[in-house]
């Protein structure tokens, strides 16, 4: 008698295998970097045969694209709504600094991968350019009349940078506490510069 076949169960198994491969690749990329991770090692870590890996991801770029999609679905970029109700440069800068801290909390794994090896090719570069453009838009919106001020942009980029933010956090401050501290220190400089005094 033929085995009963349930389409829903099969689809769930296929998705579970795909998810396992993506997760294995993310772990390996974080540990050794993109260029050092091989498809063979990814398959071994995911506990799938080479043929199964190829069935799910015929090319390395297909796997990279799936990884980028996974990470970006887990790490939504802030949108301009973070400035709703913020009228002054002080309020806008405070909003973007806090949004940066929250984003960094969510993007830990992505940032760890970046530190191991900057993602400069293929789907990684495409998504990186998209992320960079969004952060540029958020920072320019926060700065308002200072949006074209190179020094103001440089300072804001620096304080939102994960390494700076983590050093302020110093292992004991929450995201809100670190955001508040950074805001307290830098917002007066931006406000004075906007008034023409810096």
């Amino acid at each position: 008698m033929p085995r009963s076949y349930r389409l829903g169960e099969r689809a769930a198994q296929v998705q579970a295998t795909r998810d396992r491969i993506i997760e294995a690749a993310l772990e390996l990329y974080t540990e050794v970097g993109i260029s050092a991770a091989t498809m063979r090692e990814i398959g071994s870590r995911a506990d799938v045969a080479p043929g199964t890996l190829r069935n799910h991801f015929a090319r390395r770029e297909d796997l990279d694209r799936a990884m980028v999609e996974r990470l970006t679905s887990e790490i939504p970029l802030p949108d301009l709504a973070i400035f709703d109700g913020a009228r002054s440069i002080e309020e806008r800068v405070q909003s973007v600094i806090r949004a940066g801290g929250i984003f960094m909390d969510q993007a830990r794994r992505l940032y760890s991968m970046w530190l191991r090896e900057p993602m400069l090719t293929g789907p990684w570069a495409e998504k990186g350019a998209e992320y960079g453009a969004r952060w540029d838009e958020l920072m320019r919106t926060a700065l308002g009349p200072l949006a074209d001020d190179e020094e103001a942009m440089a300072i804001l980029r620096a304080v939102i940078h994960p390494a700076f933010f983590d050093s302020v956090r110093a292992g004991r401050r929450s995201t809100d506490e670190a955001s508040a501290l950074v805001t307290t220190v830098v917002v007066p400089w931006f406000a004075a510069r906007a008034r023409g005094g810096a």
Side-chain angles (χ1 to χ4, degrees), residues 4-55:
S4 65
Y5 181 74
R6 297 188 183 185
L7 188 59
E9 289 176 9
R10 174 71 180 133
Q13 289 174 345
V14 168
Q15 187 60 49
T17 301
R18 180 180 174 82
D19 290 344
R20 201 167 67 244
I21 293 167
I22 293 169
E23 189 59 37
L26 287 168
E27 289 172 4
L28 198 57
Y29 278 28
T30 302
E31 290 172 20
V32 302
I34 294 171
S35 59
T38 67
M39 291 297 275
R40 176 179 294 226
E41 290 170 316
I42 292 166
S44 176
R45 183 168 293 211
D47 195 27
V48 297
T52 301
L53 181 58
R54 280 190 304 277
N55 285 339

Side-chain angles (χ1 to χ4, degrees), residues 16 20 42 47 49 59 68 123 136 139 170 187:
R20 201 167 67 244
I42 292 166
D47 195 27
R59 300 174 306 140
V68 167
D136 190 67
M139 288 186 289
V187 162

Side-chain angles (χ1 to χ4, degrees), residues 71-84 92-107 110 127 130-142 160 175 179:
L71 287 172
T72 55
S73 71
E74 293 173 359
I75 313 163
L77 280 166
D79 60 30
L80 294 175
I82 66 170
F83 302 115
D84 288 352
R92 291 190 309 271
V93 168
Q94 180 178 10
S95 294
V96 80
I97 289 171
R98 185 170 188 284
I102 292 168
F103 179 80
M104 282 179 261
D105 285 345
Q106 297 168 340
L110 182 60
K127 189 53 76 170
E130 182 183 321
Y131 271 45
R134 170 62 63 82
W135 279 107
D136 190 67
E137 176 185 28
L138 290 167
M139 288 186 289
R140 289 184 184 286
T141 301
I160 292 178
T175 297
S179 298

